Amino acid sequence: MLQIPWKLLITALLLCIVPGKAIWLSAQEDTDTTNVEVVANEANNKSNLADKDSPLLVEPEGPEELFKSAFLMYRLGRLDLSKKYFQKLISDNPGDGVLLTLRDEYGPAVFLKLSRVDELKDYTNRLLTKINQAFVNQAMNPGRVDKLLGLLVLDTTDHAQVLEDLHAAGPFAVPRIILLLQQDLSDSDRVRYIQALTHLGKQAIPPIIGSLETTNESLKSEMVSAIGRVGGLKEAAFLWYPAFSEDSPTGIRQSALEALSNIYKTDLEKVQSITQANVVAELEKLTKTYFMREISWATDGNGLVTYWKWDPAKRTVFINKIKPARATVILGKHFSGQLVDIDPENNDAQAIFMGFALESDRLNHGEDKLPDGPGTALNLAYSTGSKVIKRTLELSLQSKQIQTAVTALRVLSHTATPHDLHTSGKKHSVILEALNYPNPVIQFEAADTILKLAPKKHFSGSSRIVSILARTLNDSGIAACVVVDPNTVRGNEMASLLRESNYQSDVLSHGREGFRLASERGNIEFVLLHMNTIRWNLSQTIANFRADSRTSGIPIFIYGPESGKHKVASLLTRYDQVHYLVQVTSKENIDPQLKPFVSVFSGNHIPEDQRRMMMKKAVILLKNISKEKRTHLFPLHPAESALYLAMQDQELALDALEALSAIPSRETQTALQQVVINRNLPKNQRLLAATILGNHIQKHSLLLTNKDILAVKNLWKQESDPQIANALSSIMGILQPNSSRIGTRLKKYLKKDIHSKSNSAN
């Protein structure tokens, strides 16, 4: 008998099982030795010879050979070599197509089994993960899912395996199943597709819920039934309306009732006995939960929610990625609309639905671009009158929904009346509540709304209007804070740290001074009070901050040594947004204590474009108060210093000048005079200031100093611009010159006139 080396013999036997690029051998007793030598020589000429202790002649190449060899070595008990080939396979990073081919050829069970082998699992677990991910990546390919669904209805198919494969496809299999269920199917095929839908379990719920928007009653009925099989108590919310709405078709209603029976694990008769009042109560609770934003969403790495939406043209659902806020509005509008349909006279339901409808349009079109006209939410809101929108505003304030409250106020500026500003008995004015709400944007919008309502008499809070507009003008856009500390050295050290964190800091010695500054400025992000604050003391200072609507929403930090926190514990629990800050010596230690609470992180921060828009609007509103002679209701004195600052802003200057015209003070005349004599300013600004100054002197008498008057006279003599010169001449006349000065001016004119005629004659 011919003696063949054992290694070649084993390799030949193994490679008969595992085909590939490796050399095939035939070991028979009568094989010619020459053939053996040829085979050996060919093997020796290979550059990728296997290790000496390997049963293989050559190393496997490519992912398919690597896996076959690794699997073979596992079956032979050569776990060291199996591990080596699996490691190489992972490092080569095969594509999804190769991985799916391996999965189809060997079946999912093989990979699951390999992932449990302790010696191999570092690599086989990673391989299993890659294969599963590849399947998910391919799951959105309709062709692959369709192939599985086609196999599902064949009698010769391993249905259990196909169902498992579809389960791996997850929710992406649902759109294809939905399409198939709308076809003319045999009863057995329909049952198998429904079985596949059910087998997907809870992962199928989002696309199933998306499909409820279909107008196909048969499909909707099947989707409702599917919710009853795979859904839980959370999904029951989507069944109340189809189960109890009078407009719900009989088939859909019956399916929804049975689905609720399955979810609540109770008799169908008990579900059918639920009253409309019970359903309304459930939907009310649900819609208020959404309106209060007490909903949590699972998000991806980009913070987005997976949302399945019905596509009428394609007759199935498609996946979309949206922000959690938008998802809340979409479902909130959905449920509140159902509640209105079941209980149309429910005022809270009407108010919540309008809030969601307006917010939906705002999200779709931009904050200041709400679409109007027939069919829009804004048009509908106008038609509902003020009662519904006032309730929308009230609920928005309660739930801290700033944008919805702003939109509601803008609607009320068109639909409310001055009567809505007055309080009687238990009835309060929600517009005035907004005026005192601890948010600068809402306060501003409330002030704007009130001015548009044009009240004729005083009301509670009328004095707040101008101060709110002034604070808006005083908002420099630079994040600022106030530090109150009786020890100015310590206070300045703290302020220095805050400046390193880009906070403009003002240091004051007394609590009263800190309150005054914070109440006047519009850019105060937070206040720091040392625990030894005086004049007012600490508790009195905090009480005043919280009692005044201008400062009630500003976060307050009591600072001191770490050991001092327990001494102020009662203040920390008694008031909202009052925190303790451990006194530190570095920026790195102060930032983490501030950031969770200051406005830029809590939602009060106003974007720059919005801040500028508010400033422009504020100065126009102040100008209108002046021009419309409404200062008896809204005295402009609180805005005087803010208007002086606005005069230095070219975009605001002209309106600020007109607003100042109604403030009867020496400072106002001086400010106007400074603009007039400043030849570096634009002509239109100087001309307007000169005109207003003359009118101001006429109305409120001359309040300028002699030095200021002299500067105007000197300018009048030198001014070359005819329009400004005319305005200055009016001022000179308003000053009521004596007979001597009048005579001098007349003589000067006559000389100029004679000289002009003489030149003309020549």
Side-chain angles (χ1 to χ4, degrees), residues 168-206:
F172 301 109
V174 177
R176 311 303 296 174
I177 296 174
I178 288 174
L179 278 173
L180 290 170
L181 289 173
Q182 295 173 81
Q183 296 179 6
D184 186 13
L185 301 172
S186 66
D187 291 343
S188 60
D189 287 357
R190 185 171 296 277
V191 167
R192 283 177 178 170
Y193 291 140
I194 292 294
Q195 181 186 12
L197 196 63
T198 304
H199 190 77
L200 289 171
K202 289 191 175 297
Q203 60 182 335
I205 289 174

Side-chain angles (χ1 to χ4, degrees), residues 78-249:
R78 293 297 305 273
L79 298 182
D80 55 332
L81 289 174
S82 181
K83 180 178 179 179
K84 172 187 172 182
Y85 297 139
F86 276 126
Q87 183 179 7
K88 180 68 167 58
L89 176 60
I90 291 296
S91 66
D92 285 354
N93 194 27
D96 286 358
V98 173
L99 294 172
L100 291 172
T101 298
L102 293 175
R103 185 183 185 279
D104 289 343
E105 183 176 347
Y106 289 89
V110 167
F111 295 94
L112 187 61
K113 183 178 181 179
L114 289 169
S115 70
R116 294 170 179 166
V117 179
D118 289 340
E119 293 85 350
L120 304 176
K121 65 182 181 182
D122 285 347
Y123 301 102
T124 52
N125 268 329
R126 290 165 63 184
L127 179 61
L128 179 62
T129 300
K130 282 178 171 289
I131 288 174
N132 287 339
Q133 185 59 50
F135 196 93
V136 171
N137 292 342
Q138 293 292 324
M140 293 183 69
N141 181 351
R144 182 168 183 82
V145 175
D146 285 347
K147 179 182 176 182
L148 292 172
L149 292 171
L151 291 172
L152 188 64
V153 294
L154 297 177
D155 293 334
T156 57
T157 300
D158 181 354
H159 294 117
Q161 183 59 60
V162 173
L163 287 174
E164 284 304 311
D165 288 346
L166 283 169
H167 188 274
F172 301 109
V174 177
R176 311 303 296 174
I177 296 174
I178 288 174
L179 278 173
L180 290 170
L181 289 173
Q182 295 173 81
Q183 296 179 6
D184 186 13
L185 301 172
S186 66
D187 291 343
S188 60
D189 287 357
R190 185 171 296 277
V191 167
R192 283 177 178 170
Y193 291 140
I194 292 294
Q195 181 186 12
L197 196 63
T198 304
H199 190 77
L200 289 171
K202 289 191 175 297
Q203 60 182 335
I205 289 174
I208 288 174
I209 288 173
S211 72
L212 296 181
E213 296 300 315
T214 179
T215 56
N216 183 324
E217 293 183 9
S218 176
L219 176 64
K220 188 170 184 177
S221 180
E222 287 176 327
M223 294 299 102
V224 165
S225 296
I227 293 175
R229 289 190 296 273
V230 299
L233 295 177
K234 183 179 177 182
E235 287 69 47
F238 294 91
L239 301 174
W240 292 115
Y241 181 78
F244 293 95
S245 170
E246 294 179 357
D247 296 331
S248 188

Side-chain angles (χ1 to χ4, degrees), residues 643-661:
L643 288 168
Y644 296 154
L645 289 174
M647 285 168 54
Q648 301 171 27
D649 187 321
Q650 289 302 310
E651 285 189 293
L652 310 178
L654 298 181
D655 291 324
L657 286 169
E658 293 199 60
L660 280 169
S661 67

Side-chain angles (χ1 to χ4, degrees), residues 335-629:
F335 288 123
S336 59
Q338 291 181 341
L339 178 57
V340 168
D341 190 66
I342 290 177
D343 190 11
E345 296 183 14
N346 186 321
N347 187 236
D348 273 8
Q350 296 168 348
I352 290 173
F353 176 76
M354 280 311 316
F356 278 127
L358 290 166
E359 184 67 1
S360 177
D361 275 9
R362 188 189 71 81
L363 288 174
N364 290 333
H365 298 274
E367 181 178 337
D368 291 309
K369 298 178 182 178
L370 278 178
D372 55 10
T376 64
L378 187 60
N379 184 267
L380 177 62
Y382 288 154
S383 71
T384 61
S386 65
K387 180 181 178 182
V388 171
I389 305 303
K390 283 193 294 184
R391 182 57 176 158
T392 301
L393 174 60
E394 185 175 25
L395 291 170
S396 300
L397 297 178
Q398 291 174 6
S399 58
K400 301 180 181 179
Q401 296 309 307
I402 306 304
Q403 294 299 341
T404 306
V406 166
T407 306
L409 282 164
R410 291 176 181 176
V411 172
L412 287 170
S413 71
H414 294 270
T415 60
T417 68
H419 181 73
D420 291 313
L421 302 178
H422 297 282
T423 301
S424 59
K426 293 183 179 180
K427 182 183 177 183
H428 67 285
S429 169
V430 69
I431 299 176
L432 295 185
E433 185 180 330
L435 193 68
N436 295 312
Y437 192 80
N439 178 278
V441 176
I442 289 181
Q443 289 183 7
F444 176 80
E445 292 292 342
D448 184 23
T449 296
I450 290 169
L451 288 172
K452 286 177 179 175
L453 297 182
K456 302 298 183 186
K457 58 182 181 179
H458 285 281
F459 55 88
S460 175
S462 57
S463 61
R464 294 265 297 115
I465 302 295
V466 172
S467 64
I468 288 171
L469 300 179
R471 290 185 77 235
T472 302
L473 286 178
N474 278 328
D475 185 353
S476 65
I478 301 172
C481 64
V482 175
V483 178
V484 177
D485 195 326
N487 183 328
T488 54
V489 173
R490 182 176 57 205
N492 281 311
E493 289 175 352
M494 178 61 74
S496 178
L497 292 178
L498 293 168
R499 291 187 191 105
E500 289 183 40
S501 297
N502 298 318
Y503 285 103
Q504 175 184 311
S505 305
D506 291 283
V507 181
L508 300 164
S509 301
H510 303 150
R512 181 189 288 116
E513 295 173 346
F515 169 78
R516 179 187 56 77
L517 181 62
S519 64
E520 292 175 354
R521 296 258 294 274
N523 62 331
I524 302 301
E525 300 279 347
F526 57 92
V527 174
L528 266 71
L529 304 174
H530 191 268
M531 58 186 302
N532 294 327
T533 294
I534 59 173
R535 297 180 188 174
W536 306 310
N537 63 34
L538 181 64
S539 60
Q540 189 178 1
T541 300
I542 293 175
N544 282 313
F545 266 95
R546 286 296 168 260
D548 193 295
S549 60
R550 295 171 295 177
T551 57
S552 60
I554 299 176
I556 295 174
F557 293 87
I558 304 169
Y559 74 101
E562 191 167 5
S563 59
K565 184 175 182 179
H566 73 279
K567 297 179 181 179
V568 296
S570 62
L571 294 174
L572 301 178
T573 56
R574 188 185 314 163
Y575 297 102
D576 290 335
Q577 295 197 74
V578 176
H579 316 282
Y580 193 81
L581 186 144
V582 177
Q583 190 173 339
V584 293
T585 57
S586 71
K587 171 183 177 293
E588 289 71 22
N589 291 328
I590 198 170
D591 279 354
Q593 298 187 72
L594 291 174
K595 286 185 177 180
F597 306 107
V598 296
S599 63
V600 69
F601 293 88
S602 63
N604 283 348
H605 179 69
I606 303 174
E608 177 61 17
D609 57 344
Q610 184 182 3
R611 184 187 70 83
R612 286 296 299 176
M613 180 275 294
M614 289 170 61
M615 290 180 71
K616 292 175 185 177
K617 203 170 184 180
V619 75
I620 290 172
L621 291 173
L622 291 168
K623 177 189 73 173
N624 291 343
I625 291 172
S626 173
K627 292 182 69 175
E628 295 166 7
K629 297 179 173 53

